[in-house]
Amino acid sequence: MIQQIRYVVPFLVVSLVLLWLSCERPTSPPHPNSPPDTRLANIPKDTDTVFALVTLNWSGGDDDGFIARYQYRCFTYHLVPGTNNNWALFDSTSWTDTTASSVTIAFNSTEPLNRQRFLVRAIDNDGDADPSPAEKILYTTRTAPPITRIATPIQNAVVLVVDHVTDWWSGVPLVFSAVDPTKGGKVVDYAWSADGGPWNWLTDTSLYIPPNKFKPPLDGMHTIKVTSRNNTNLVDPIGDSVSVRLMIPPFDKKVLIIDETDEFNNPFITFGIQDSTVDQFYADVFPGSVSWDFKKNGMPPREVLGQYKILVWHADDVPAVVPHKISDPRNIAVFTDYLKVGGKFLMSGWRILKSFAYYSNFPFTFPRGTFVYDYLHIYTVDETQIMGDCLGGVGKPGSFSDFSVDSARLAFFPYDGKLAQVNLITKMAGFTEILYSYKNADNSPFVTYRGRPIALRYYGTVFDAVVLGFPMYFIRKDDAKVMAREILQSLHVN
C-alpha cells in the first residue's frame, strides 16, 4: 500500500501543475528597450594635438540585446584669425554607418590649428541609438597637398611612336615623382591624364601611356598631366604637365651613317688617315647615304633618326683608353627608341662588342637586360689577341660573299697586314643568323679562332639589327661595297 502511494502522489502533483499552467491568467507588460552605450578608447587622448590622419577605436554594449552597427560623424572648426579661442565651424559630415569598431579619418586641416569634434554612437538590434554619443575633441596641425613633377618626357620632347602596342613598344613612357611637404604626410596615390582626358589613378610613378589614350591625330603635339594624393586625401591642385611631340617615323630616307670613328685615337693604325678619308670610304660603300659626325654633333635627335630606314654606326678606331660612345646608356636610350618603332641598325667597329663590357675580362657573358643581350640576341663574346691574325671573313653560303682585310692599311706592327682584337660571337640566341666567320692563315697558331662567328643578324618582330665584330674601314673597299649591298638587301632596305 505504501508503495502505491509513492507513485500516486507525484502523479497528482504533476497534474495539478499542468492544470494551473493551462488556465488563463493576466500577464505583465514587456520591459521597455534600453538604449545601447558607446565608449571611445583613450588613444589619442582627448584634446591632444596630432597629425591630421587619426585612427579612432570604440566599443559598445547593450544590456537587453546586442549591437547591430555604429554611426560616426565629424565637425571641423578653424581658429578665427586674430583670436585665441574663437572657433568657427568650417565643415561637418553626416552620420556614416559602419559595423567596424574603428576608423581612420583624414581630418580637414588646412589651417595652422584645427579643432576636430568626433562623435560615435552604437545602434542596437531594436534600432535604438545611444542618445549620448561618445565624443572626442582633438586638435590637428596644418597639412599641405603633395607636389608632383614629371621627369620623363621633358617639355617639348619628341617621342617616336606607332599607332598600336607591339612586342617592343608599350606606349609613351611616363616617369614622375611626388613628395609630401608635411611632416608625417605620405603620398599614396598618383594619377595621369592625356590631352585633357579622365584622370587615371594608380600606385606607380612609371608607366607607358597607350597610343589610344591620346586624341587623334597621334602624330603631332599632345599634353600629359600628372597629380598625386596624400594620406590626408589632399590632391595636388596644380600637378605638373608637359607638351610633347609624338612622331610616327616616316622612314622616307635610306641610310644615316653615324660617324664615331676617331682617327687620332690610336697612332699605330691611324697615322696619315684623315676624317674626310673615312667619310669618303663610307659614302662610297653606302651610295646616297647621309653622314652625321658624332664627335662634333653628339647623338642625333630622335626626329632625325625617325626619317631613316637604317642607321649605320661605325667606330673603327681602337678604343685604347675608354670604350666607344655607342655603349653609353644615354646613346643606347636614343637609338633603342628608334628600334622599338621599327628601325633597322648596323654597327661595325674595332672592339665594338668589347665596348659594351669594356672593363670586364673576356670571354664575357652579357646578362639579361643589357643592350647586347636584349637587342642583338648575343649572349657570350670573346676577343682575339692583340697581334694581327685575321685575314678576312667567310660569308654565309648563298647569301653573303667572302671578304678580305685591306693589308695595306694594316702593314705596320703589331698587325702585319692582318686584323687583331676581333670580337668572336661564341653564343647567340634564337632568331639570329651568322653572316661571316673568322678566317686566318692555314698555318696560324690560333686555330680555335677559325670558323667562329664574327658578324650576326637578329631577325626581330619589329626591328632588325646587324653587328660586325670588326672595323669595316679596314677591309678591302670593293669587298665592303659588296658587303653593304648584301646586308641592305637582306634587311629589305631599298
Side-chain angles (χ1 to χ4, degrees):
M1 184 66 179
I2 295 175
Q3 186 69 22
Q4 290 176 343
I5 292 174
R6 287 176 59 191
Y7 288 108
V8 170
V9 171
F11 175 77
L12 291 174
V13 171
V14 172
S15 299
L16 289 173
V17 170
L18 292 174
L19 179 64
W20 179 79
L21 290 174
S22 65
C23 294
E24 292 186 0
R25 60 186 179 88
T27 59
S28 300
H31 293 292
N33 180 59
S34 298
D37 181 57
T38 319
R39 293 185 179 184
L40 271 163
N42 198 34
I43 300 175
K45 293 181 178 180
D46 206 36
T47 71
D48 267 0
T49 300
V50 296
F51 180 63
L53 188 69
V54 183
T55 298
L56 297 155
N57 297 273
W58 59 81
S59 60
D62 188 35
D63 292 337
D64 54 4
F66 58 89
I67 303 299
R69 55 193 171 94
Y70 298 94
Q71 291 181 330
Y72 65 87
R73 66 183 306 187
C74 309
F75 296 85
T76 296
Y77 303 82
H78 292 330
L79 183 64
V80 176
T83 66
N84 292 327
N85 56 4
N86 291 331
W87 299 89
L89 178 64
F90 177 78
D91 189 22
S92 64
T93 67
S94 58
W95 287 107
T96 300
D97 286 311
T98 182
T99 57
S101 58
S102 68
V103 67
T104 299
I105 295 180
F107 286 107
N108 184 302
S109 299
T110 57
E111 300 305 312
L113 192 63
N114 311 270
R115 186 172 184 261
Q116 313 292 351
R117 181 182 176 217
F118 177 81
L119 303 176
V120 61
R121 63 187 183 186
I123 299 176
D124 66 16
N125 56 303
D126 289 315
D128 285 350
D130 184 347
S132 302
E135 179 176 325
K136 186 177 288 290
I137 302 295
L138 297 171
Y139 295 89
T140 58
T141 53
R142 187 200 301 270
T143 56
I147 301 169
T148 321
R149 292 291 180 265
I150 295 175
T152 301
I154 62 174
Q155 180 69 17
N156 296 321
V158 174
V159 182
L160 299 179
V161 300
V162 290
D163 61 5
H164 60 284
V165 173
T166 70
D167 294 343
W168 286 93
W169 190 78
S170 300
V172 176
L174 174 62
V175 180
F176 59 100
S177 61
V179 295
D180 193 307
T182 306
K183 182 179 180 181
K186 180 182 179 182
V187 182
V188 294
D189 292 299
Y190 311 89
W192 61 269
S193 172
D195 291 336
W199 287 109
N200 300 272
W201 287 94
L202 69 169
T203 57
D204 292 328
T205 57
S206 177
L207 64 136
Y208 293 94
I209 303 177
N212 61 3
K213 296 298 183 180
F214 295 95
K215 291 182 178 179
L218 183 62
D219 196 305
M221 296 301 297
H222 296 270
T223 301
I224 300 171
K225 295 182 179 181
V226 296
T227 189
S228 59
R229 178 168 51 210
N230 66 12
N231 55 350
T232 62
N233 288 328
L234 292 180
V235 176
D236 183 347
I238 301 174
D240 198 10
S241 66
V242 292
S243 295
V244 295
R245 178 190 167 197
L246 304 186
M247 175 183 175
I248 299 176
F251 299 131
D252 52 358
K253 299 178 182 178
K254 189 174 180 180
V255 179
L256 177 65
I257 295 177
I258 303 177
D259 172 14
E260 197 209 334
T261 299
D262 185 351
E263 290 76 16
F264 302 97
N265 191 24
N266 191 320
F268 291 114
I269 64 169
T270 58
F271 181 76
I273 299 177
Q274 301 296 319
D275 179 68
S276 59
T277 303
V278 177
D279 289 346
Q280 190 60 53
F281 173 86
Y282 277 96
D284 293 340
V285 169
F286 294 93
S289 61
V290 174
S291 181
W292 180 281
D293 193 322
F294 181 87
K295 292 176 292 183
K296 293 180 181 179
N297 303 316
M299 188 70 192
R302 291 169 176 84
E303 57 266 36
V304 171
L305 300 184
Q307 301 176 41
Y308 293 88
K309 297 178 182 178
I310 184 170
L311 309 182
V312 176
W313 189 305
H314 65 84
D316 290 347
D317 56 297
V318 177
V321 180
V322 293
H324 292 304
K325 296 297 189 297
I326 190 175
S327 62
D328 188 315
R330 293 168 295 183
N331 297 327
I332 292 174
V334 176
F335 65 76
T336 52
D337 281 352
Y338 161 82
L339 295 179
K340 291 174 184 177
V341 294
K344 300 179 189 294
F345 184 61
L346 164 64
M347 71 175 185
S348 79
W350 209 317
R351 311 187 78 191
I352 191 72
L353 289 171
K354 173 66 175 176
S355 290
F356 290 90
Y358 191 73
Y359 301 103
S360 300
N361 294 326
F362 269 42
F364 180 79
T365 299
F366 288 94
R368 187 184 301 273
T370 59
F371 169 74
V372 175
Y373 184 105
D374 292 348
Y375 287 85
L376 303 181
H377 277 215
I378 294 174
Y379 291 173
T380 305
V381 177
D382 204 350
E383 188 171 74
T384 65
Q385 45 84 49
I386 198 170
M387 302 299 292
D389 179 70
C390 181
L391 296 175
V394 178
K396 178 183 177 182
S399 301
F400 296 91
S401 304
D402 297 351
F403 70 88
S404 298
V405 167
D406 189 341
S407 59
R409 290 178 176 161
L410 297 164
F412 30 79
F413 180 83
Y415 306 108
D416 296 327
K418 299 178 284 293
L419 270 173
Q421 294 176 289
V422 175
N423 286 148
L424 308 175
I425 302 166
T426 56
K427 185 179 180 181
M428 68 286 294
F431 306 103
T432 55
E433 173 188 25
I434 299 170
L435 306 188
Y436 302 100
S437 300
Y438 190 95
K439 179 182 178 181
N440 56 6
D442 292 341
N443 61 350
S444 169
F446 302 105
V447 294
T448 57
Y449 299 159
R450 193 173 302 148
R452 306 301 290 272
I454 57 174
L456 196 74
R457 171 184 169 172
Y458 164 63
Y459 291 88
T461 55
V462 173
F463 67 89
D464 296 321
V466 172
V467 56
L468 308 179
F470 52 87
M472 201 173 186
Y473 176 78
F474 291 95
I475 68 175
R476 294 177 58 183
K477 190 172 186 179
D478 288 343
D479 290 350
K481 289 181 178 180
V482 173
M483 177 184 294
R485 183 175 66 251
E486 292 175 346
I487 289 176
L488 294 183
Q489 287 175 350
S490 73
L491 294 175
H492 306 291
V493 176
N494 303 317

